[in-house]
């Protein structure tokens, strides 16, 4: 009832009034109850991470809060109250599934972990045939593992039945996991399934939710790791996902120490800048680089690492290595000597409470700290667990790609060769959209592109200059990055004045994106600006076609807010009726509660004579009534009002 009241209040039920016109909250609640008008808690209250402290009301005014409520309600694609939890799917920027308000994975944004975590183990293991995945999620981990040659069975332990619907929705990214006869989903508690199963697995991949959530830390205990070790076949690998955000140093040391009590060899890898994979084994890992290189060039590793790590080359893969067993052993030994040493156990679940202290706070730990210590301390200096040659300098350079995946600017290491520094700068310019700067940086060194990412970067920059040198690069991308090839071809054709060819290439790219959302994120985002540019340059013929390309969402709602904005902007060139149509189709009834949007909505609906024009006016007036302005702004606004009144007839 309280949540329903709060939702009603912030949605406009309680407006600012003079003191004499104020109605008591109790009377309002009674009136609403008698009228039967309450719809109960909306998606915002059911699927937002309020309990985790990620929704901060302290610095938010009524308009900002209402905008947040509308946003969550608008982009809720699906939701249900299931066996254990309220499960929903948000479609703002790729399908993100939420469990009790907390996002536990994004179909596209978390591909580096959801695909990469399992494939790291599979490519390091000589020949995995049987795998257990704890946590279905989007289905990507299990689905891609089921594609590994020689993999006979992938068992999945999933507690929440509603997550199966999430996996069905994420079919474009998970290799149709639920249709694969090799995949066996078992509904139940992961620990219980592990303890009662008599099976032996080559890989056990534990990918639960965050350990601060009730019950999750039981998948990080000594007893759980002991059970996992008993279920590993000879040479088997146990892979533990651990968040590297909102965590302090002591918490990560406790996890290391607990895991190292069971597995004598613990390797640290990272799937991205904020997710780590701890790999436990009873025997040391040792993979021949030629064998590893060959496997990385076979499916599903080639495509899987391309879409999740942005590179499938040997050095690009090894760039995800952070530290070896000596780091874990050193931490475990130090912890054992400490007077307050304790492990995370079933009857003393420290990790749950440790995480609870740091949730929502700036982290005091980073993966880079481990990497730096591993390299700087001779007693810890483990290298990747491979034998054979590899290019260590190139591996360091590919660290920039790992950062770029999270849209973080790659760090320029001034100790690296000058040519390497220029390539890293070019990558940084690719991220920030400075294509001229990208080209200038690349030309400062003489190496030709070595991976598809570099080819795409250079091709896009050349295409933007209408340089035909981009053409062979576009063709080279077709086998590994066909979507990127189409989008770059559209840019080249448009810059060369080939309007029809540009529209055709853009259309091909978007059709592919509606089937699978695998494009380099910066390039895909810039394609929407290109689409608007093409529409503006040819309103009569190109604009209607581009408008059609943008009519339906991309696979798994990839870049949905960008698509909606681009479609609205393209509609400008097709007239007021089209603009009003897009407003109604894409944004009603949970409209963005922002000044510029509400103003444009009111103007367009009024000019088009749309049935919602009166509602748009009321919304605009409500926003302005609740708008917070500074004292100088109030004086300026009053002056303007006086001038306008004086001019009125």
């Amino acid at each position: 009832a309280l949540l329903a009241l709060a939702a009603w209040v912030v949605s406009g039920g309680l407006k600012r009034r003079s003191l004499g016109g104020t109605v008591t909250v109790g009377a309002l609640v009674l009136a609403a109850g008698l009228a039967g008008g309450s719809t109960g808690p909306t998606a915002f209250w059911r699927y937002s991470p309020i309990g985790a402290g990620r929704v901060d009301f302290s610095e938010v005014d009524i308009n900002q809060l209402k905008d947040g409520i509308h946003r969550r309600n608008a982009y809720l694609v699906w939701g249900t109250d299931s066996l254990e939890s309220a499960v929903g799917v948000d479609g703002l920027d790729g399908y993100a599934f939420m469990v009790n308000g907390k996002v536990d994975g994004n179909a596209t944004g978390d591909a580096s972990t959801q695909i990469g975590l399992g494939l790291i183990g599979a490519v390091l293991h000589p020949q995995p045939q049987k795998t257990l995945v704890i946590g279905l999620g989007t289905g990507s981990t299990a689905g891609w593992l089921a594609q590994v040659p020689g993999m006979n069975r992938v068992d999945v332990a999933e507690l929440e039945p509603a997550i199966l619907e999430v996996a069905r929705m994420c079919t474009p990214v998970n290799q149709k996991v639920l249709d694969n006869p090799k995949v066996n989903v078992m509904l139940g508690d992961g620990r219980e399934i592990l303890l009662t199963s008599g099976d032996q697995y080559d890989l056990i991949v534990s990918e639960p939710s965050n350990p601060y959530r009730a019950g999750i830390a039981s998948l990080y205990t000594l007893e759980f790791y002991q059970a996992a070790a008993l279920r590993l076949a000879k040479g088997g690998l146990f892979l533990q996902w651990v968040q590297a955000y909102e965590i302090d140093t002591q918490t990560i040391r406790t996890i290391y120490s607990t895991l190292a009590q069971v597995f004598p060899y613990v390797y640290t890898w990272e799937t991205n800048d904020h997710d780590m994979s701890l790999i436990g084994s009873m025997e040391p890992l040792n993979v021949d680089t030629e064998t590893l290189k060959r496997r990385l060039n076979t499916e599903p590793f080639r495509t899987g690492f391309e879409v999740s790590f942005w590179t499938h080359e040997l050095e690009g893969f090894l760039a995800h290595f952070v530290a070896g067993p000596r780091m874990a052993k050193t931490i475990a030994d130090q912890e054992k000597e400490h007077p307050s040493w304790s492990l995370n156990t079933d009857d003393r679940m420290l990790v749950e409470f440790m995480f609870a202290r740091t949730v929502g706070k700036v982290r005091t730990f980073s993966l880079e700290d481990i990497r730096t210590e591993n390299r700087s301390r001779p007693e810890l200096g483990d290298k990747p667990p491979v034998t054979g040659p590899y290019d260590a300098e190139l591996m360091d350079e590919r660290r920039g790609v790992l950062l770029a995946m999270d849209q973080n600017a790659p760090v320029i290491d001034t100790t690296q060769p000058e040519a390497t520094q220029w390539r890293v700068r070019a990558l940084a310019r690719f991220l920030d959209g400075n294509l001229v700067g990208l080209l200038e940086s690349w030309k400062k060194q003489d190496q030709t592109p070595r991976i598809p990412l570099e080819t795409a970067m250079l091709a896009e920059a050349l295409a933007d200059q209408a340089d035909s040198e981009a053409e062979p690069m576009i063709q080279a991308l077709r086998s590994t990055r066909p979507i990127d090839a189409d989008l770059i071809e559209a840019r080249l054709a448009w810059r060369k004045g080939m309007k029809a060819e540009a529209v055709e290439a853009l259309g091909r790219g978007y059709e592919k994106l509606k089937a699978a959302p695998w494009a380099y994120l910066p390039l895909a985002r810039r394609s929407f600006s290109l689409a608007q540019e093409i529409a503006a340059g040819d309103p009569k013929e190109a604009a209607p076609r581009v408008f059609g390309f943008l009519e339906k969402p991309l696979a798994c709602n990839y870049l949905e807010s960008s698509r909606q904005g681009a479609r609205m902007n393209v509609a400008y060139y097709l007239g007021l009726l089209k603009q009003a149509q897009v407003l109604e189709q894409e944004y009603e009834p949970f409209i963005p509660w922002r000044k510029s949007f509400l103003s444009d909505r009111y103007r367009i609906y009024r000019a088009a004579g749309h049935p919602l024009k009166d509602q748009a006016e009321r919304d605009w007036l409500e926003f302005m009534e609740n708008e917070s302005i500074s004292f100088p702004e109030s004086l300026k606004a009053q002056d303007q009002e006086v001038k306008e009144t004086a001019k009125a007839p």
Side-chain angles (χ1 to χ4, degrees):
L2 288 173
L3 290 177
L5 170 63
W8 176 79
V9 169
V10 297
S11 63
L14 185 61
K15 297 183 182 296
R16 294 186 297 179
R17 301 172 184 268
S18 64
L19 185 59
T22 300
V23 181
T24 66
V25 171
L28 290 172
V29 173
L30 178 62
L34 291 174
S38 174
T39 58
T42 65
F44 177 81
W45 300 102
R46 296 177 68 218
Y47 301 114
S48 288
I50 298 170
R54 286 187 171 85
V55 179
D56 185 0
F57 296 102
S58 61
E59 300 291 333
V60 174
D61 62 25
I62 289 178
N63 283 333
Q64 292 169 325
L65 181 56
K66 189 164 184 175
D67 183 51
I69 292 173
H70 275 211
R71 188 176 307 164
R72 176 49 52 88
N73 289 339
Y75 289 103
L76 182 71
V77 178
W78 174 83
T80 186
D81 287 327
S82 192
L83 182 66
E84 295 280 342
S85 317
V87 179
V89 175
D90 181 272
L92 173 64
D93 192 4
Y95 284 162
F97 76 97
M98 305 164 289
V99 179
N100 289 336
K102 164 68 173 61
V103 172
D104 269 354
N106 186 296
T108 53
D110 289 320
S112 57
T113 293
Q114 293 171 355
I115 297 174
L117 180 66
L119 290 186
I120 287 176
V123 80
L124 291 175
H125 190 283
Q127 192 173 359
Q129 299 180 39
K130 198 172 180 181
T131 294
L132 172 65
V133 177
I134 298 176
L136 176 63
T138 64
S140 294
T141 301
W144 284 85
L145 280 170
Q147 304 299 315
V148 173
M151 188 71 74
N152 298 322
R153 196 169 103 192
V154 177
D155 289 340
V156 183
E158 175 54 55
L159 181 65
E160 182 54 76
I163 299 298
L164 271 72
E165 181 58 29
V166 173
R168 288 189 187 96
M169 295 176 67
C170 295
T171 292
V173 301
N174 65 26
Q175 301 288 302
K176 300 180 180 179
V177 63
L178 297 181
D179 296 331
N180 193 322
K182 295 181 181 179
V183 178
N184 172 40
V185 179
M186 300 175 288
L187 292 174
D189 180 79
R191 279 190 55 144
E192 183 179 324
I193 289 171
L194 191 66
L195 288 166
T196 57
S197 170
D199 290 315
Q200 296 285 294
Y201 296 99
D202 299 302
L203 300 174
I204 297 177
V205 183
S206 183
E207 199 173 356
S209 183
N210 306 78
Y212 61 79
R213 308 186 74 177
I216 300 300
S218 66
L219 296 174
Y220 291 81
T221 65
L222 179 69
E223 292 83 356
F224 173 68
Y225 294 147
Q226 289 170 337
L230 289 174
R231 294 291 173 261
L232 280 178
K234 183 175 175 56
L237 302 178
F238 173 79
L239 292 97
Q240 173 74 74
W241 170 81
V242 182
Q243 67 188 76
Y245 55 93
E246 296 179 350
I247 182 174
D248 63 15
T249 300
Q250 186 54 53
T251 304
I252 196 65
R253 287 176 65 90
T254 299
I255 292 174
Y256 266 118
S257 183
T258 305
L259 191 60
Q261 300 309 304
V262 178
F263 296 100
Y265 300 94
V266 177
Y267 299 84
T268 306
W269 293 71
E270 60 182 321
T271 53
N272 55 50
D273 190 41
H274 55 268
D275 285 338
M276 57 197 295
S277 172
L278 299 181
I279 303 180
S281 66
M282 294 298 180
E283 302 163 355
L285 290 175
N286 194 2
V287 186
D288 176 67
T289 53
E290 288 304 313
T291 301
L292 186 55
K293 194 181 301 183
R294 187 165 55 251
R295 297 196 78 194
L296 289 168
N297 276 283
T298 60
E299 297 297 350
F301 303 111
R302 179 184 175 89
T303 300
F305 285 126
E306 255 308 315
V307 300
S308 61
F309 287 177
W310 286 13
T311 173
H312 65 275
E313 69 173 342
L314 175 66
E315 285 78 9
F317 171 74
L318 295 179
H320 290 256
F321 172 80
V322 178
R326 284 191 285 183
M327 176 66 74
K329 186 178 186 307
T330 298
I331 293 173
D333 290 345
Q334 289 177 346
E335 288 294 299
K336 196 176 293 185
E337 294 297 321
H338 198 277
S340 61
W341 175 65
S342 56
L343 304 174
N344 191 53
T345 60
D346 284 353
D347 61 354
R348 199 160 187 261
M349 221 164 290
L350 300 174
V351 165
E352 178 174 316
F353 297 98
M354 288 174 163
F355 269 100
R357 288 201 304 264
T358 54
V359 62
K361 295 181 173 61
V362 177
R363 65 188 181 187
T364 58
F365 159 81
S366 75
L367 276 164
E368 191 58 31
D369 292 338
I370 296 182
R371 186 189 299 273
T372 300
E373 290 300 308
N374 182 61
R375 292 188 172 191
S376 62
R377 296 167 65 110
E379 71 275 19
L380 299 178
D382 283 321
K383 294 182 179 179
V386 296
T387 55
Y390 65 90
D391 189 333
E393 284 187 355
L394 181 57
M395 185 182 78
D396 289 343
E397 181 179 337
R398 293 296 182 247
R399 166 75 179 156
V401 176
L402 193 155
L403 292 170
M405 286 161 25
D406 286 337
Q407 306 305 294
N408 294 325
V411 178
I412 308 296
D413 185 350
T414 55
T415 65
Q416 291 181 322
E418 188 175 352
T420 299
Q421 295 180 45
W422 283 116
R423 288 192 293 273
V424 174
R425 286 190 181 92
L427 176 59
R429 299 291 77 77
F430 176 70
L431 291 184
D432 64 26
N434 182 356
L435 298 182
V436 173
L438 189 164
L439 204 55
E440 290 174 351
S441 296
W442 190 266
K443 288 180 178 178
K444 297 283 187 178
Q445 57 86 55
D446 57 5
Q447 182 178 285
T448 57
R450 292 182 56 170
I451 56 175
L453 174 61
E454 291 177 340
T455 303
M457 288 164 41
L458 188 55
E460 187 186 22
L462 290 168
D464 201 54
Q465 300 293 317
D467 192 328
S468 295
E469 285 188 25
E471 292 174 0
M473 298 181 187
I474 293 170
Q475 294 309 313
L477 287 169
R478 295 223 172 266
S479 61
T480 54
R481 310 289 309 198
I483 299 171
D484 301 289
D486 286 331
L487 299 180
I488 297 170
E489 183 180 351
R491 182 175 294 274
L492 177 62
W494 182 250
R495 291 288 180 262
K496 295 177 79 170
M498 302 161 62
K499 296 181 180 180
E501 290 83 352
V503 172
E504 290 296 328
L506 188 68
R508 288 196 303 273
Y510 283 141
E511 279 305 303
K512 290 184 177 75
L513 278 170
K514 289 170 186 174
W518 303 132
Y520 293 123
L521 183 58
L523 201 157
R525 279 191 174 137
R526 285 192 286 273
S527 75
F528 292 110
S529 298
L530 177 64
Q532 295 167 61
E533 186 181 332
I534 291 173
D538 188 3
K540 187 174 181 180
E541 295 185 9
R545 295 198 62 194
V546 172
F547 186 77
F549 299 156
L550 299 170
E551 184 176 2
K552 294 181 180 179
L554 307 180
C556 295
N557 268 39
Y558 183 55
L559 294 175
E560 176 64 359
S561 58
S562 298
R563 179 197 68 85
Q564 289 177 311
R567 189 174 183 230
M568 187 72 228
N569 290 336
V570 171
Y572 172 82
Y573 303 103
L574 303 178
L576 276 170
L577 292 180
K578 281 293 183 187
Q579 288 178 276
Q581 174 191 337
V582 174
L583 277 173
E584 184 175 9
Q585 289 178 348
E586 299 283 357
Y587 296 105
E588 300 289 349
F590 299 109
I591 54 176
W593 200 256
R594 296 190 291 273
K595 187 173 183 178
S596 59
F597 184 92
L598 291 169
S599 174
D600 289 342
R601 173 175 172 256
Y602 174 37
R603 173 182 56 79
I604 291 168
Y605 278 165
R606 183 179 59 182
H610 193 276
L612 288 173
K613 64 180 185 300
D614 292 338
Q615 181 62 51
E617 181 180 12
R618 287 193 294 271
D619 289 339
W620 167 249
L621 292 174
E622 178 186 338
F623 180 92
M624 293 307 296
E625 183 181 6
N626 292 317
E627 177 72 332
S628 300
I629 61 174
S630 66
F631 183 74
E633 287 174 330
S634 73
L635 295 176
K636 184 178 180 181
Q638 187 66 25
D639 286 341
Q640 185 65 28
E641 186 175 333
V642 169
K643 291 177 183 177
E644 290 177 357
T645 302
K647 292 179 183 177

